[in-house]
Amino acid sequence: MKYILPLAIGFLLLCSLPMNAQDVSAYQKKHFVKDGDSLPYRLLLPKDFDASKKYPLVLFLHGSGERGNNNEAQLVHGSSLFLKDDVRNNYQAIVVFPQCAANSSWSRLDTKGDFENREFIFFEDAEPTKDMVLLEGLLKDLRKKYKLDKNRLYVGGLSMGGMGTFELVRRNPKMFAAAFPICGGAHPNISKKLSKPHWWVFHGDADKVVPEKYSAEMVKAMQAAGVEVKYTVYPGVGHNSWDNTFAEPELLSWLFSKSK
């Protein structure tokens, strides 16, 4: 089957909520440029940032509804969590929200069938999308510009970003200490490449956009491969399971407790 960029899933997250009223200006506007291509991203530095200190990195990948080049839409979901005073005081970290281009995706996939009967087709070893190449370049650039704690690099994402989380770890199996994909999915056969990080997977069982079975299949395969993975399913919750995830009282304590 011919690989196509997942334009067919462009309607994912079309019901994105408006930008949280909280001031997100603390997230600095940046661009990573490579070979004439640009990846917008927002960067949140810790309070009282000290360039001589090492900090953990949290990378968060948005869904398809936040794609574009305005360097703002990617902050719709999740950014406010890291702006809370108690979070900034208790979890000193560099937080990065990159923005995928409108005609691209974090990972390659295909779909078949109409919306009500649609199936996602994930690949085991597809060529990376342009934005995945840029994302990997951004990670290298961040490691040059900042003193990152190489043992405490974390990645998470929702929907298309949840799929991208699996893909980024597959392509960089020794990089991350922990990963938390939300309402995503991937090809179960990649599980053997996901053994290094600690995983916490989230999904709503009433999700009709990306059905919960895609996370369930991944978790089953990961467990069979000996991967350390937690799985939380929210009964009656649809595609916006990220709201429940960001409200998890133990999410950040779990995340920041992990180290390679």
Side-chain angles (χ1 to χ4, degrees):
M1 180 176 295
K2 182 179 179 182
Y3 295 157
I4 63 171
L5 291 176
L7 298 178
I9 61 170
F11 47 81
L12 292 183
L13 302 180
L14 288 180
C15 295
S16 296
L17 297 175
M19 183 71 71
N20 191 294
Q22 185 169 9
D23 182 11
V24 296
S25 61
Y27 283 90
Q28 301 175 33
K29 286 189 174 184
K30 304 279 188 177
H31 285 81
F32 171 72
V33 179
K34 180 179 180 181
D35 299 329
D37 293 317
S38 178
L39 180 70
Y41 68 97
R42 299 293 285 265
L43 175 81
L44 180 67
L45 294 176
K47 284 186 176 180
D48 303 317
F49 173 69
D50 182 345
S52 68
K53 290 178 56 177
K54 288 185 178 181
Y55 292 98
L57 172 73
V58 179
L59 176 70
F60 193 80
L61 306 180
H62 64 77
S64 64
E66 292 76 58
R67 293 180 295 183
N69 61 5
N70 64 3
N71 212 0
E72 295 180 1
Q74 75 267 38
L75 296 180
V76 168
H77 302 298
S79 63
S80 61
L81 173 63
F82 299 99
L83 289 174
K84 293 181 178 179
D85 286 337
D86 60 334
V87 171
R88 300 200 73 187
N89 291 333
N90 295 326
Y91 304 108
Q92 292 277 301
I94 294 174
V95 182
V96 174
F97 278 67
Q99 186 177 31
C100 182
N103 62 346
S104 188
S105 178
W106 300 121
S107 60
R108 291 189 187 274
L109 65 150
D110 204 347
T111 61
K112 67 178 181 180
D114 56 28
F115 179 77
E116 292 297 324
N117 302 292
R118 183 179 47 150
E119 292 186 19
F120 288 89
I121 301 166
F122 300 103
F123 302 107
E124 291 185 57
D125 193 23
E127 288 296 313
T129 64
K130 181 176 71 174
D131 281 74
M132 175 55 70
V133 173
L134 287 169
L135 182 61
E136 291 176 324
L138 170 61
L139 284 167
K140 292 180 181 178
D141 190 58
L142 290 170
R143 296 176 79 169
K144 292 178 181 177
K145 290 181 176 177
Y146 302 96
K147 285 185 174 292
L148 300 182
D149 184 344
K150 65 180 181 180
N151 292 317
R152 300 181 69 202
L153 305 182
Y154 309 121
V155 60
L158 62 88
S159 195
M160 183 187 80
M163 299 171 188
T165 298
F166 285 115
E167 175 69 359
L168 183 61
V169 175
R170 179 191 75 82
R171 292 179 51 81
N172 302 272
K174 298 180 180 181
M175 180 178 291
F176 297 97
F180 59 105
I182 308 165
C183 57
H187 198 297
N189 286 358
I190 72 170
S191 294
K192 59 184 177 294
K193 298 182 179 179
L194 307 179
S195 63
K196 295 300 182 182
H198 302 266
W199 291 84
W200 194 350
V201 180
F202 301 89
H203 220 120
D205 70 359
D207 193 333
K208 294 183 178 180
V209 179
V210 181
E212 184 263 334
K213 69 177 183 178
Y214 293 111
S215 283
E217 290 170 355
M218 281 303 300
V219 169
K220 182 179 179 180
M222 292 164 74
Q223 291 173 334
V227 178
E228 181 174 331
V229 54
K230 297 175 60 174
Y231 188 31
T232 297
V233 179
Y234 298 111
V237 173
H239 194 50
N240 64 324
S241 53
W242 52 81
D243 292 332
N244 300 72
T245 302
F246 296 140
E248 282 284 348
E250 297 181 1
L251 174 62
L252 294 184
S253 60
W254 172 87
L255 186 68
F256 285 96
S257 72
K258 303 307 179 186
S259 180
K260 290 197 296 183

